[in-house]
Amino acid sequence: MPDAMPVPRLFSFIGGSSGSWSVAGVTVLAGEPLVTPERVEVVAGNVTARRDGDAWVLRGITSNERYVIRNEKTQLVAVQQGLGRPDSTCAVMIPMRKNDAWWALTQDERRAIFEDQSHHVQIGLKYLPPIARRLHHCRDLSEREPFDFITWFEFAPEHESRFDDLLTELRRTDEWKFVDREVEVRLRR
Amino acid sequence: MPDAMPVPRLFSFIGGSSGSWSVAGVTVLAGEPLVTPERVEVVAGNVTARRDGDAWVLRGITSNERYVIRNEKTQLVAVQQGLGRPDSTCAVMIPMRKNDAWWALTQDERRAIFEDQSHHVQIGLKYLPPIARRLHHCRDLSEREPFDFITWFEFAPEHESRFDDLLTELRRTDEWKFVDREVEVRLRR
């Protein structure tokens, strides 16, 4: 068996009546809605049982990057910042799913849409370091996950309009034509 | 919630005293050994509880390809065959793990080792259609999976020496320098 205490990669996002983050608003961009909870808590590990008052529990695991190439990674690492900065009192949680057409593409086709056509990394870089981000993969946890990814963003309140610009830019891309479910949960600590 | 009956992608591999496949031998190529069971069963879904007599339960999920590009996929699809052919009475299950250095590489670096240097797809193609293969990913099911991948191969007994050649070729590649745990479980139906 591996080490008793591995680095946490699997996180559960619990929408309910308690938690560190209060919900400022939920916007459904595509697909089925998600119940709006009062608060959200993020915990390490796989929370399978809902407590009384929980509206939903979503899960995702951090992993190796799927598309980023070395020179992009070098640029990202130079400027990105981690979660939990004291002034990052705003968070946005975006669970999303891509359609079957996306997943039927081969690696070169997905990469071409992701970066050559959509400039996903280059757009993201413009908003670093103020916007911190952690991507969680859900699609391969089981066949029944309601989303493929959960992205968690954190920033200080004065950067919220820049964050809105980031979303606007990304959602205009060819990559986003493959998104068939997307919900935006705005949070305040 | 998604459909009630999704296509099975998550499989459990149960080594124990019962099952459709009898164990002809277990060889440890790298890293920690795996207990040699009498039989192996493969079932759809996530089997979390061990029955009496089970030595181990490993899990893996099929997913989109991580490295294959379109022209390779076209070649593969033209010749690959599925599991469960009546004359495929031989199976080999190979759970394996790659080291941290592999997972710290970016996509372009992993692809370069996988195909440009190691010719993983081109080697595999030489052995199709006799050797059927299904790849299961384990690494992102949780932080505690003992392996990153489980590959399941099936073939008729007369192709066993060709299968041995396939393994010999792959294990000589640069890609295999990143393998830090590998066990080969030979099975007969």
Side-chain angles (χ1 to χ4, degrees), chain B:
Chain B
M1 293 299 290
D3 298 341
M5 293 283 282
V7 175
R9 294 201 292 128
L10 179 61
F11 295 90
S12 297
F13 301 80
I14 308 167
S17 52
S18 65
S20 314
W21 298 90
S22 67
V23 175
V26 173
T27 308
V28 180
L29 283 303
E32 235 182 300
L34 197 64
V35 171
T36 302
E38 283 172 61
R39 307 187 71 86
V40 167
E41 188 62 287
V42 185
V43 297
N46 186 353
V47 173
T48 50
R50 281 190 215 180
R51 302 160 305 184
D52 279 354
D54 288 350
W56 39 258
V57 180
L58 301 176
R59 310 171 304 151
I61 191 162
T62 63
S63 185
N64 59 295
E65 291 98 352
R66 303 291 201 257
Y67 303 108
V68 165
I69 63 175
R70 176 55 62 190
N71 75 48
E72 294 163 348
K73 175 94 173 217
T74 303
Q75 294 176 70
L76 287 165
V77 167
V79 288
Q80 71 194 357
Q81 298 208 359
L83 303 186
R85 291 173 296 181
D87 64 345
S88 288
T89 56
C90 294
V92 180
M93 173 187 163
I94 304 189
M96 59 122 81
R97 191 177 60 203
K98 285 177 173 167
N99 63 20
D100 291 346
W102 174 262
W103 295 111
L105 296 173
T106 52
Q107 180 66 27
D108 54 330
E109 292 167 334
R110 280 182 276 107
R111 163 73 195 184
I113 295 165
F114 175 87
E115 195 61 25
D116 305 347
Q117 296 174 34
S118 303
H119 313 290
H120 192 130
V121 174
Q122 291 308 316
I123 290 172
L125 272 167
K126 293 194 294 178
Y127 298 91
L128 298 179
I131 315 291
R133 168 188 176 274
R134 192 168 68 197
L135 176 64
H136 309 78
H137 297 259
C138 326
R139 179 177 172 78
D140 289 342
L141 289 174
S142 77
E143 302 100 342
R144 291 171 176 276
E145 299 301 314
F147 295 98
D148 291 339
F149 308 99
I150 298 168
T151 314
W152 181 271
F153 299 93
E154 285 182 9
F155 46 85
E158 62 266 32
H159 295 122
E160 187 150 26
S161 70
R162 287 292 287 152
F163 177 74
D164 295 340
D165 295 342
L166 167 63
L167 291 186
T168 302
E169 278 206 71
L170 284 172
R171 288 176 180 151
R172 275 194 202 125
T173 62
D174 286 348
E175 186 189 350
W176 249 254
K177 295 175 185 161
F178 295 89
V179 172
D180 73 3
R181 189 174 182 198
E182 183 178 8
V183 182
E184 183 185 303
V185 183
R186 299 253 174 175
L187 302 158
R188 287 284 180 150
R189 191 171 58 197

Side-chain angles (χ1 to χ4, degrees), chain A residues 24-174:
Chain A
V26 173
T27 308
V28 180
L29 283 302
E32 235 180 301
L34 197 64
V35 171
T36 303
E38 283 171 60
R39 307 186 72 86
V40 168
E41 188 63 287
V42 185
V43 297
N46 186 354
V47 174
T48 50
R50 280 190 217 181
R51 303 160 304 185
D52 278 354
D54 287 349
W56 39 259
V57 181
L58 302 175
R59 309 171 304 150
I61 190 162
T62 63
S63 185
N64 59 295
E65 291 97 353
R66 302 294 200 256
Y67 302 109
V68 166
I69 63 175
R70 177 55 62 191
N71 74 49
E72 293 163 351
K73 176 97 174 212
T74 303
Q75 294 176 70
L76 287 165
V77 167
V79 287
Q80 69 195 358
Q81 297 207 359
L83 303 186
R85 291 172 295 181
D87 64 345
S88 287
T89 56
C90 294
V92 181
M93 172 187 164
I94 304 190
M96 60 122 82
R97 192 176 62 203
K98 285 177 173 168
N99 64 19
D100 292 345
W102 175 262
W103 296 110
L105 296 173
T106 53
Q107 180 67 26
D108 53 330
E109 292 167 334
R110 279 181 276 107
R111 163 73 195 183
I113 294 165
F114 176 88
E115 194 61 25
D116 306 346
Q117 295 174 34
S118 302
H119 313 290
H120 192 130
V121 174
Q122 290 309 317
I123 289 172
L125 272 167
K126 293 194 293 179
Y127 298 91
L128 298 180
I131 314 291
R133 168 189 175 273
R134 190 167 70 195
L135 176 64
H136 309 78
H137 297 260
C138 327
R139 179 179 172 78
D140 289 341
L141 288 173
S142 77
E143 303 100 342
R144 290 169 177 278
E145 300 302 312
F147 295 98
D148 291 338
F149 308 99
I150 298 167
T151 314
W152 181 271
F153 299 93
E154 285 181 10
F155 46 85
E158 62 266 31
H159 296 123
E160 186 148 26
S161 72
R162 287 292 287 153
F163 177 74
D164 295 339
D165 295 342
L166 166 63
L167 291 186
T168 301
E169 277 206 74
L170 284 172
R171 287 176 180 151
R172 275 195 200 124
T173 63
D174 286 348

